[in-house]
Amino acid sequence: MSAPDTHATIEAIWRIERAKIIAGLARMVRDVGRAEELAQDALLAALQRWPGQGIPDNPAAWLMTAAKNRALDELRRAKLIARKHEELGREMDEADFPDLDAALDDDIGDDLLRLIFTACHPVLATEARVALTLRLIGGLTTEEIARAFLVPEPTVAQRIVRAKRALAEARVPFEVPGGDALAERLSSVLEVIYLIFNEGYSATKGDDWVRPALCEEALRLGRILAELAPDAPEVHGLAALMEIQASRLAARVGPNGEPVLLLEQNRARWDQLLIRRGLAALTRAERLTEERGPYVLQAAIAACHARARTAGETDWARIAGLYDELAGRAPSPVVELNRAVAVAMAHGPAAGLELVDALTAEPTLKGYHLLPSVRGDFLKKLGRLDEARAEFERAAALTQNARERKLLLDRAAALAS
């Protein structure tokens, strides 16, 4: 194999195994930042040796062994091995790893789950959690994360460095929390994954309406989490929600990248495999609980759209009822706005407008462009065209996404003519 081919193979192996290796190392050294550095050192060693020696039969085990040996060397040089032996010895001693391949397979699920919970720890700001998760578990470079979220690369790098430091200073344990802490921490993990997905599904700024790569990464994380937490209904609810929403990605944009709204989409372009996966995950989630949580409820709403062969067959009354239930479980102004849309579709635009007008004084929606956008749509349907045009123009001024801005301005211009 030529050197370029070997390097390409190493990069592919690294992309697949990276998170597992970091997770295993983090369990040993109890520091995710240092674990990532050790894993990077092992990668450099592979890049230096494998082109000449050939790729080993089990590259993951080779990388893990190289990183582990580097960690042991550092401990010895720092004369800390005696003090650390009791704490780390059983995990790092070769006697406890008679078969490293088997050990990796046995522990990797637990280690990955610990790594996900650590990267998404509430001690970190939301932006830091997102960046660290994409870096440690997703394997994205700082450049890729910066490009995905349209922020400067140094900003992302700083967030990641500060996040690692904050975890170390707070002495966050590398563990899956138990008891009452589990629900809170799991909520943080799900929030991070769904934030990543939503940024891909409906980009908040920039020139693209969707960023499928982010959706794919969030889906991958969600599927991993579903395998690692098989009895958590909200995990399967989130997986179902993302699978069903991702099924529409190809239909969400036109030939030139322009947005295509839900009711105008060509449903023949919806990915039926993703829909089947989503519906199966939803069924699994609902079997696990009698009280549906926010993600299970949102997945049930998405399923109503997925099951409708045409926009006209959508069961809007059921969707409105599900939003009522969601508002009771996880009340928020955004949920109320979405409920207003469902009510309008089920009972007419006047009923929806009444609900939206009650939200206009809500401080958290002051800069939210979808509030005037939804209000403009109701006003248009009621024949109040001048008011509708003003709302679409106001929504266009608030959005930071160029594609969405053009869509809203086009809707305003159509009313003017």
Side-chain angles (χ1 to χ4, degrees):
M1 185 181 294
S2 66
D5 288 341
T6 301
H7 282 183
T9 302
I10 293 171
E11 288 176 8
I13 292 168
W14 178 244
R15 188 74 180 221
I16 294 169
E17 304 293 346
R18 182 181 187 278
K20 302 174 187 176
I21 293 167
I22 292 173
L25 290 166
R27 170 169 49 87
M28 297 176 186
V29 300
R30 301 292 193 233
D31 184 327
V32 293
R34 187 67 196 120
E36 185 184 20
E37 291 169 2
L38 290 167
Q40 291 284 355
D41 289 343
L43 172 63
L44 290 175
L47 288 168
Q48 291 169 357
R49 298 181 190 178
W50 292 2
Q53 299 177 358
I55 295 173
D57 292 337
N58 191 325
W62 191 100
L63 290 164
M64 186 67 176
T65 301
K68 176 189 162 216
N69 288 339
R70 177 65 179 269
L72 283 168
D73 289 343
E74 288 185 357
L75 285 171
R76 291 190 184 100
R77 281 197 301 270
K79 297 182 179 180
L80 293 174
I81 192 66
R83 183 168 62 83
K84 289 288 185 180
H85 182 76
E86 183 178 353
E87 178 184 351
L88 301 176
R90 281 193 292 268
E91 295 183 48
M92 300 182 69
D93 196 307
E94 199 66 41
D96 276 38
F97 287 93
D99 184 346
L100 186 57
D101 300 355
L104 281 168
D105 291 338
D106 289 345
D107 293 333
I108 197 60
D110 290 342
D111 286 344
L112 264 180
L113 197 57
R114 292 184 188 107
L115 185 61
I116 291 171
F117 273 98
T118 302
C120 298
H121 197 283
V123 74
L124 303 176
T126 300
E127 296 84 355
R129 278 181 270 161
V130 168
L132 193 61
T133 299
L134 287 173
R135 176 69 179 157
L136 293 181
I137 298 105
L140 274 65
T141 65
T142 53
E143 179 185 2
E144 288 171 330
I145 299 168
R147 188 166 61 246
F149 286 90
L150 301 181
V151 295
E153 187 175 347
T155 300
V156 172
Q158 193 174 56
R159 284 177 186 170
I160 293 172
V161 169
R162 287 178 175 173
K164 293 175 184 175
R165 186 185 304 132
L167 290 173
E169 291 175 351
R171 297 186 178 182
V172 171
F174 187 70
E175 65 181 14
V176 175
D180 295 338
L182 178 60
E184 177 190 354
R185 293 282 297 282
L186 183 60
S187 175
S188 176
V189 171
L190 298 178
E191 177 192 17
V192 167
I193 294 174
Y194 197 39
L195 279 171
I196 295 168
F197 182 87
N198 270 338
E199 186 59 32
Y201 188 75
S202 185
T204 54
K205 56 185 176 180
D207 297 326
D208 297 315
W209 173 241
V210 297
R211 298 191 187 114
L214 276 180
C215 290
E216 291 168 8
E217 188 56 43
L219 263 176
R220 190 179 73 85
L221 294 173
R223 289 166 181 166
I224 289 172
L225 190 60
E227 289 296 321
L228 299 177
D231 298 323
E234 280 289 83
V235 170
H236 297 291
L238 176 59
L241 174 60
M242 293 191 297
E243 299 278 9
I244 295 171
Q245 287 186 316
S247 73
R248 308 177 201 148
L249 281 172
R252 275 177 63 77
V253 293
N256 300 312
E258 68 275 14
V260 180
L261 301 180
L262 177 62
L263 298 183
E264 300 165 4
Q265 288 172 14
N266 177 2
R267 299 189 177 210
R269 299 189 67 198
W270 288 5
D271 189 320
Q272 294 302 311
L273 174 60
L274 291 179
I275 289 175
R276 287 195 295 273
R277 288 179 64 112
L279 294 177
L282 175 59
T283 298
R284 185 173 182 179
E286 290 180 328
R287 285 174 178 167
L288 287 169
T289 181
E290 294 182 359
E291 288 191 21
R292 295 182 290 189
Y295 291 109
V296 177
L297 287 168
Q298 289 178 80
I301 291 167
C304 289
H305 294 294
R307 292 184 176 116
R309 291 174 298 175
T310 66
E313 294 179 24
T314 306
D315 189 346
W316 286 105
R318 173 167 169 74
I319 292 174
L322 288 167
Y323 269 118
D324 287 341
E325 191 175 345
L326 179 60
R329 293 283 294 168
S332 80
V334 173
V335 169
E336 289 299 325
L337 182 61
N338 289 329
R339 186 170 76 90
V341 173
V343 168
M345 295 300 296
H347 305 294
L353 183 62
E354 182 179 354
L355 294 175
V356 167
D357 284 346
L359 296 172
T360 55
E362 174 58 49
T364 58
L365 296 180
K366 185 176 181 181
Y368 191 51
H369 69 283
L370 290 181
L371 177 60
S373 175
V374 167
R375 192 167 188 273
D377 188 56
F378 294 165
L379 290 167
K380 175 187 172 184
K381 291 176 179 177
L382 291 169
R384 295 159 60 177
L385 303 187
D386 288 341
E387 294 173 81
R389 184 177 72 250
E391 290 294 273
F392 288 140
E393 289 172 347
R394 188 159 73 90
L398 289 173
T399 184
Q400 297 182 60
N401 185 281
R403 295 284 187 179
E404 194 167 24
R405 184 181 303 113
K406 184 179 185 306
L407 172 69
L408 290 163
L409 290 175
D410 286 347
R411 297 188 74 185
L415 295 178
S417 61

